[in-house]
Amino acid sequence: MAQNPRTSETDTTPNATRNSGLSRRSYVRSLAAVATAATTLGAAGTTTAEDDYEEIEATGQTITIGDGETWENKLIDMTTGQDIVITAHSSDWTIRNIGFKGENTSGTGSATFGISDTAGGSCTIENVYLGDGSSTGNGNPNGHGQTAFWVAPDHSGHIDFKNVNIQGFADNAIYGSAPGNKGGGTIHIDSCFAANCYVSHFRLATEGSKVTNSSVYVDDDGYVGRGIWAWSPGTVEVEGCQIEMNGHNTAIDAGANGQGTNVVLRDTDYDDQAGIAEHAGSTVQLEGDSGTDPEAFVPKGTPTTPEEAATGSN
């Protein structure tokens, strides 16, 4: 099966605004119960007329999205124990209303989504649920676990992430730093939620890339990767976010592999115990109403079940 390739630009060594009425702790801990109570999937590739989404069983297949294509309203059944890979290395594509049911337990250690805009265009990823995560045994021989979204080095355009829910992945949730060393494309993560992933949750590198109105949550029951990791050249902007690490790892990590970068942190609360790390001459600049009393939230419109995502009903 074709895999989304990985580059050497990976460090897998651990570094030992409130607008929702849903408690982040009760939300994170209730996900398993919600998934269990969800509707049982039918046969692969069938369409449920009532809910207007297609059900797809993961069987080791690769789905490729071309220029200008929209891929939407899919419910992916990962309880098969097999993998599925979605690749979009083209331009002006859209991925919308996609829900994944069950952990990825395939053990391939690839990325569920391998993406880039290779022609300087603009792409969109919105309303996606990857909250059931990947198993602890999910890793390939080079040490990587499963990544949710991997942005390829050749990315030269722009990708908007909106209302995406990623939890419990054995590697980065959104691994978007590779274009900093090559294509230079930008990424905007807005109104997204990531929790209990390893290495990092949101990882960016190019000037013009930003994380806004989003949350990171880490507790004692899952992977404890960095909150936001900024690679060179940057600058990376973070605004209106809540980064609640419960003392684990690093809330904001700037710089890597001997190269520095800059982060502008605006109107954002971060976990002071986890703190801020500045490597190789990096700087983290605090602006506006930034503080150290984070309370992670699930942004309005972000799906909390696979079915919500697939139907677009959240």
Side-chain angles (χ1 to χ4, degrees):
M1 178 187 63
Q3 299 296 320
N4 291 314
R6 302 296 296 271
T7 73
S8 60
E9 191 252 354
T10 307
D11 177 2
T12 58
T13 303
N15 181 348
T17 317
R18 308 175 182 88
N19 64 353
S20 172
L22 182 61
S23 163
R24 78 280 187 199
R25 288 185 178 88
S26 63
Y27 169 67
V28 172
R29 298 181 190 280
S30 68
L31 281 176
V34 170
T36 301
T39 303
T40 302
L41 289 176
T46 61
T47 300
T48 304
E50 180 181 353
D51 296 317
D52 198 24
Y53 60 79
E54 181 184 9
E55 301 171 353
I56 301 173
E57 289 186 353
T59 58
Q61 70 271 50
T62 297
I63 294 172
T64 301
I65 301 169
D67 287 341
E69 185 178 349
T70 296
W71 194 64
E72 61 186 343
N73 298 107
K74 314 292 184 186
L75 200 158
I76 312 298
D77 181 8
M78 301 300 296
T79 66
T80 61
Q82 300 297 311
D83 203 359
I84 186 169
V85 175
I86 298 97
T87 63
H89 300 295
S90 48
S91 188
D92 296 323
W93 45 260
T94 297
I95 295 170
R96 175 192 299 127
N97 299 344
I98 310 296
F100 289 76
K101 178 183 175 66
E103 281 188 329
N104 185 310
T105 59
S106 63
T108 60
S110 65
T112 300
F113 287 87
I115 57 174
S116 61
D117 189 302
T118 56
S122 183
C123 301
T124 300
I125 296 171
E126 60 183 352
N127 203 51
V128 176
Y129 177 85
L130 280 160
D132 292 349
S134 65
S135 67
T136 55
N138 190 302
N140 63 15
N142 68 6
H144 300 301
Q146 190 79 5
T147 297
F149 291 92
W150 180 72
V151 184
D154 289 336
H155 172 56
S156 61
H158 179 78
I159 300 174
D160 282 308
F161 287 84
K162 188 174 180 65
N163 295 131
V164 176
N165 187 337
I166 307 168
Q167 300 190 48
F169 270 75
D171 201 75
N172 300 264
I174 297 179
Y175 183 146
S177 57
N181 294 324
K182 190 173 183 181
T186 53
I187 296 166
H188 184 187
I189 299 168
D190 183 61
S191 300
C192 293
F193 181 79
N196 296 324
C197 295
Y198 188 56
V199 185
S200 72
H201 292 79
F202 302 136
R203 176 171 169 171
L204 304 173
T206 54
E207 183 173 2
S209 292
K210 61 184 69 175
V211 184
T212 59
N213 308 313
S214 297
S215 280
V216 172
Y217 179 79
V218 172
D219 63 18
D220 295 322
D221 298 330
Y223 300 111
V224 290
R226 302 161 180 85
I228 296 175
W229 196 3
W231 284 58
S232 65
T235 299
V236 172
E237 299 177 50
V238 180
E239 182 172 359
C241 295
Q242 299 291 308
I243 306 167
E244 185 174 1
M245 306 292 292
N246 285 302
H248 295 294
N249 212 308
T250 307
I252 304 291
D253 204 337
N257 290 354
Q259 295 180 307
T261 190
N262 301 312
V263 178
V264 175
L265 199 71
R266 185 180 302 113
D267 300 329
T268 290
D269 283 304
Y270 66 93
D271 181 351
D272 191 39
Q273 185 178 353
I276 291 172
E278 298 172 324
H279 308 287
S282 297
T283 62
V284 178
Q285 180 179 343
L286 304 182
E287 296 184 355
D289 187 21
S290 292
T292 57
D293 186 25
E295 185 171 345
F297 63 94
V298 179
K300 183 178 180 181
T302 299
T304 59
T305 69
E307 290 78 12
E308 274 188 359
T311 60
S313 61
N314 45 290

